[in-house]
Amino acid sequence: MLTKVEWEELRAKLDKQLKPDVKKRRIKAIKINSAYHWQPPLYIEVGKKVGPLEPDAPPELIVAIYESSAFMVVTPKHGYDEGLPHFFAKEDVQQVVEFED
């Protein structure tokens, strides 16, 4: 799990790269009921492996979750070490759990 400093550095990096106005809300988990018919309802939690986030993909470790115009789910291969985060439309998110600081 990321420290607060690492979390903020990654948030700033995504904000600069994507220009999506990434909010400073620290999200621990989201419950998804995706519009994609192939994807079952998911509970995506930081520090846990969850999947599939893409068709036929193995579960991925969740590094961080950010909110902008959509929710961005960061994994090592999607938004952290390489690539872009997974994006989930706000209307697909049924529940948001924030970290208790």
Side-chain angles (χ1 to χ4, degrees):
M1 192 157 70
L2 301 177
T3 67
K4 286 183 182 180
V5 171
E6 292 169 328
W7 182 91
E8 177 56 33
E9 288 172 350
L10 181 56
R11 187 200 69 77
K13 173 186 153 190
L14 291 170
D15 194 50
K16 185 177 179 181
Q17 283 179 333
L18 304 174
K19 306 282 188 230
D21 187 28
V22 179
K23 299 188 181 340
K24 293 190 177 193
R25 183 179 185 190
R26 292 192 68 233
I27 299 172
K28 180 179 181 180
I30 54 177
K31 183 177 180 182
I32 302 285
N33 189 9
S34 178
Y36 297 114
H37 298 289
W38 63 267
Q39 192 170 46
L42 294 171
Y43 187 77
I44 301 171
E45 185 174 347
V46 173
K48 306 236 172 133
K49 282 193 171 185
V50 178
L53 297 175
E54 294 180 337
D56 303 318
E60 297 182 66
L61 177 65
I62 308 304
V63 175
I65 302 170
Y66 295 97
E67 181 182 5
S68 65
S69 57
F71 284 90
M72 297 182 290
V73 175
V74 179
T75 68
K77 291 191 175 191
H78 291 94
Y80 190 71
D81 290 330
E82 55 190 271
L84 294 173
H86 295 281
F87 292 91
F88 291 92
K90 286 192 171 188
E91 55 268 13
D92 291 345
V93 176
Q94 304 297 309
Q95 179 183 12
V96 177
V97 178
E98 294 185 47
F99 280 103
E100 295 179 13
D101 291 328

